[in-house]
Amino acid sequence: MKLTTLESEIFDRRKNDISFLLNDRLIVFLEHQSTVNFNMPLRFLLYCAKTYGIIVPKDTVYQKKEVLLPEPEFFVFYTGKDPFPEQKVLHLSRSFRSNRRPKLELEVTCFNINYPLGAAMLKRCKNLQGYSFLLHRIRSCRAEGLSLERSIELAIRDCKTEGLLTSFLKQHEGEMRTMLFRYLNDDEFREVYTRCGYAEGHEDGLAAGLTEGREEGIRASAAGMKAEGISAETICKITGLSREEVLAL
C-alpha cells in the first residue's frame, strides 16, 4: 500500500483527507464529513484528476502506448447530526445541467457511521466503532447541558469502560482530547456559518446561476460570525475569504 494523499499548496486548496494505492491496481479515496455535502462527486473528481496527474509520468500521456491506470473507488464516512441514510450513492451526473446521457460519471458511496445507525459498517472495524461511539457519547453529554470539555472527558471514560479505542487512547489520549475539542468547535462554527445565511445565499446563487448570490451568502455568514466574536483566522478557514476581506466587514 502506498499513501497518495494530496499535500496542501499555498495557491491550491484542493486537499483531500486520505487516498492510497493498493498493489498499483486500486486507488481508494476516502473522506470524513460532519456535514451533508452533495458536491462530493465533484470534489472527488478534482482530487482524482490531480492524483493521476502526480502518479502518471508526464511524458507517457503523449505516447502511443495506452497508459494503464489504477481503478479508483470513492467513499465518504459521515458523522454529522443531520438525518442521512445508512448508505447512499452520490452521482456526479446529477450535477450536469443537461438531460442527455452523461459522458462522464463518478460514483461516491457514503456510509453513515453514526452510532448506532451505522451498525453494519461499524461491525467491520472496532476502531471505527469506537470513534463513532465516542462522538455519540460526547453529543449525548452536550445535549444534557454539559460543557464540551466535560463531555469529552466522560466520553473517553465510557470508551475505556466499553473496551473501545483502548490501545489508541493509551498512547494518544492527550492529543485526542485536543483534536476533539478543535474538531467539535469547528462543527459549532459551521452551524453558525449556516444560520448566518451562507446556505441560503449559496442556494439562491445556484438557483439563479449567479456567483453573486454565493459570494453575498459567504460575506453575510462571515459578518454574522464576526459579530459572534469568532476570530478572523477561524472565519477565513471556514469561508475561504482572505483576512483583509474579513477585517473589512
Side-chain angles (χ1 to χ4, degrees):
M1 185 184 80
K2 179 182 178 183
L3 286 174
T4 54
T5 307
L6 297 171
E7 297 294 332
S8 60
E9 300 174 9
I10 295 176
F11 299 107
D12 189 349
R13 297 180 182 177
R14 212 167 295 165
K15 174 78 167 64
N16 56 346
D17 283 349
I18 296 268
S19 67
F20 53 91
L21 182 65
L22 290 172
N23 296 326
D24 291 326
R25 291 179 176 271
L26 180 69
I27 187 165
V28 177
F29 293 83
L30 175 66
E31 293 286 306
H32 169 241
Q33 293 285 309
S34 58
T35 53
V36 176
N37 187 337
F38 293 104
N39 292 313
M40 290 312 299
L42 174 58
R43 287 176 54 178
F44 274 122
L45 175 67
L46 300 175
Y47 299 151
C48 188
K50 187 173 181 182
T51 302
Y52 278 140
I54 292 171
I55 66 176
V56 175
K58 293 181 180 180
D59 295 339
T60 58
V61 296
Y62 300 105
Q63 297 175 4
K64 184 177 181 180
K65 184 178 178 181
E66 184 178 34
V67 177
L68 298 179
L69 299 172
E71 179 184 357
E73 290 192 6
F74 308 95
F75 302 97
V76 166
F77 284 170
Y78 173 72
T79 58
K81 291 182 284 186
D82 291 334
F84 197 77
E86 185 175 352
Q87 183 174 336
K88 182 180 179 66
V89 178
L90 304 181
H91 297 85
L92 177 67
S93 56
R94 288 183 60 86
S95 299
F96 298 143
R97 297 185 179 184
S98 171
N99 293 323
R100 298 181 302 168
R101 182 175 176 272
K103 302 297 191 295
L104 177 65
E105 184 60 285
L106 188 152
E107 295 183 357
V108 179
T109 304
C110 303
F111 294 100
N112 188 334
I113 62 167
N114 277 301
Y115 185 92
L117 179 63
M121 173 59 73
L122 297 178
K123 285 181 181 177
R124 303 182 187 182
C125 177
K126 195 167 184 179
N127 282 335
L128 200 62
Q129 182 184 13
Y131 173 65
S132 181
F133 177 79
L134 182 70
L135 293 181
H136 168 72
R137 288 296 300 132
I138 292 172
R139 286 169 177 163
S140 298
C141 292
R142 290 287 279 157
E144 295 171 6
L146 299 179
S147 68
L148 178 56
E149 188 173 8
R150 178 61 174 163
S151 298
I152 292 172
E153 180 183 343
L154 293 177
I156 289 177
R157 183 201 65 185
D158 291 345
C159 276
K160 291 177 178 178
T161 302
E162 297 291 330
L164 298 170
L165 297 177
T166 50
S167 59
F168 184 83
L169 288 171
K170 186 176 180 179
Q171 299 180 55
H172 305 287
E173 182 175 336
E175 298 168 55
M176 186 89 162
R177 289 174 184 270
T178 302
M179 181 276 291
L180 285 168
F181 192 82
R182 293 176 59 187
Y183 162 70
L184 293 171
N185 265 318
D186 280 349
D187 260 3
E188 293 177 6
F189 290 148
R190 276 191 287 267
E191 289 179 11
V192 174
Y193 185 35
T194 301
R195 287 199 304 270
C196 288
Y198 166 76
E200 183 179 0
H202 183 63
E203 291 299 325
D204 288 346
L206 286 177
L210 300 171
T211 58
E212 287 81 1
R214 180 176 182 276
E215 291 169 357
E216 283 298 320
I218 291 174
R219 284 193 290 270
S221 170
M225 285 188 284
K226 190 176 180 183
E228 292 286 336
I230 297 172
S231 69
E233 289 74 15
T234 300
I235 297 174
C236 292
K237 179 182 176 182
I238 295 173
T239 64
L241 295 175
S242 69
R243 181 178 175 81
E244 290 72 21
E245 289 174 312
V246 172
L247 294 177
L249 291 171

